Amino acid sequence: MTPRAATLIGLTAILMWSLLSVLTVATGKIPAFQLAAMTFAIGALVAFASFLFRPAAFGALKQPPVAWVVGVGGLFGYHALYFLALRFAPPAEAGLLNYLWPLLIVLFSSLLPGERLAPHHIIGALLGLAGTVLLFAGNTGSFTSGQIPGLAAAFVAAFVWAAYSVMSRKLKAVPTDAVAGFCLATALLAALVHIMVEKTVWPETIGQWLAVLALGVGPVGAAFFVWDVGMKRGDIRVLGAASYATPLLSTAFLILAGFAQPTATIAIAAILVAGGGLIAAKDMVWKKM
């Protein structure tokens, strides 16, 4: 697999994650950790079902402890912190702090062997950050001291996801099939937290069940597998900068579904994010065939 192909595969994770908000809204009032447990379990089960046709894939679960710490710590740690942030801090401010992770991925990639940050990578990431700030700017307001833990959780979550993504490159020898085990462990941990702190609420309609299934198959399933491919074999700097398209595309899908309204601010943010992504991906987009 060429780095360009792996990068394109990784980009599909961004498209799937952009459906996370609209699908989550469609699931109804399921508590956060219960939803995480259900969807991660679905993602793991779909992966394990594919193993039945590839028995050798079960061997991917035999990994050293460090791989499990990074995999489960990244998937469960990030989502636990993000859910905590949404519970104790305003969603807009929490989201803005959380979306530092694309920039952090670009910056952290310079620490990897053989990777080098060029000016256009940094410029692209900063333009994406500017577009994200603008996207959230109209929704921000004042916050109280009681919301500081939530804001801190969102900030730490950004570092956790960036570290997980970049460490995936360091653990390149770990096959992508191992992500199935990480998802199953995350589902079990989320279920444990759910039992401890939440009240169980099941979907009430077929549409809500289908939304849960779609989440498990896509944004909380296949997305982590293709992201792993992109991080391990693709251009990590391009993927980091392109990740700023996630909140923008998410907003676009919410508009199409009737949950949000189009504005001039969204249009300007789109130009900044798209321009930043093209600049960061200059080497790949304009590469001579």
Side-chain angles (χ1 to χ4, degrees):
M1 183 181 297
T2 65
R4 186 175 187 178
T7 302
L8 292 174
I9 290 173
L11 288 173
T12 64
I14 296 171
L15 179 60
M16 283 186 272
W17 286 331
S18 67
L19 292 168
L20 186 64
S21 295
V22 68
L23 287 175
T24 299
V25 171
T27 62
K29 299 180 180 180
I30 303 173
F33 281 99
Q34 180 190 344
L35 185 60
M38 294 171 68
T39 52
F40 271 102
I42 291 170
L45 289 175
V46 170
F48 284 128
S50 73
F51 287 9
L52 297 178
F53 302 95
R54 302 179 292 118
F58 283 102
L61 301 179
K62 298 179 181 179
Q63 298 300 326
V66 64
W68 284 91
V69 170
V70 171
V72 179
L75 294 181
F76 177 75
Y78 169 76
H79 287 87
L81 286 166
Y82 188 54
F83 291 154
L84 183 65
L86 292 179
R87 175 169 294 186
F88 292 104
E93 284 83 345
L96 184 56
L97 284 172
N98 176 63
Y99 266 100
L100 288 172
W101 66 258
L103 178 60
L104 292 174
I105 286 178
V106 174
L107 297 178
F108 287 172
S109 69
S110 63
L111 303 176
L112 294 169
E115 298 292 341
R116 181 182 62 85
L117 279 181
H120 63 276
H121 294 130
I122 299 175
I123 292 172
L126 290 176
L127 281 175
L129 178 61
T132 303
V133 170
L134 183 61
L135 189 64
F136 285 100
N139 298 317
T140 57
S142 59
F143 60 88
T144 65
S145 58
Q147 296 169 340
I148 292 178
L151 296 172
F155 184 70
V156 175
F159 279 84
V160 169
W161 188 252
Y164 162 75
S165 299
V166 175
M167 284 296 293
S168 295
R169 184 62 154 247
K170 292 281 289 185
L171 298 172
K172 194 174 182 178
V174 177
T176 295
D177 284 326
V179 174
F182 304 155
C183 286
L184 181 59
T186 297
L188 293 174
L189 289 172
L192 180 61
V193 175
H194 163 65
I195 292 172
M196 294 171 59
V197 303
E198 295 177 337
K199 180 180 179 180
T200 300
V201 177
W202 295 108
E204 298 177 344
T205 66
I206 294 178
Q208 291 178 359
W209 276 109
L210 290 175
V212 171
L213 180 62
L215 275 174
V217 172
V220 192
F224 295 121
F225 290 85
V226 295
W227 184 251
D228 190 73
V229 171
M231 286 293 104
K232 288 177 176 175
R233 297 176 176 82
D235 192 323
I236 195 170
R237 301 154 302 182
V238 170
L239 287 168
S243 296
Y244 277 117
T246 305
L248 182 64
L249 289 173
S250 178
T251 303
F253 283 123
L254 287 170
I255 290 173
L256 291 174
F259 295 120
Q261 297 296 320
T263 65
T265 297
I266 293 175
I268 297 173
I271 294 173
L272 288 171
V273 172
L278 286 173
I279 291 173
K282 178 175 71 70
D283 296 334
M284 186 178 77
V285 175
W286 285 284
K287 182 179 179 181
K288 293 182 179 180
M289 301 299 293

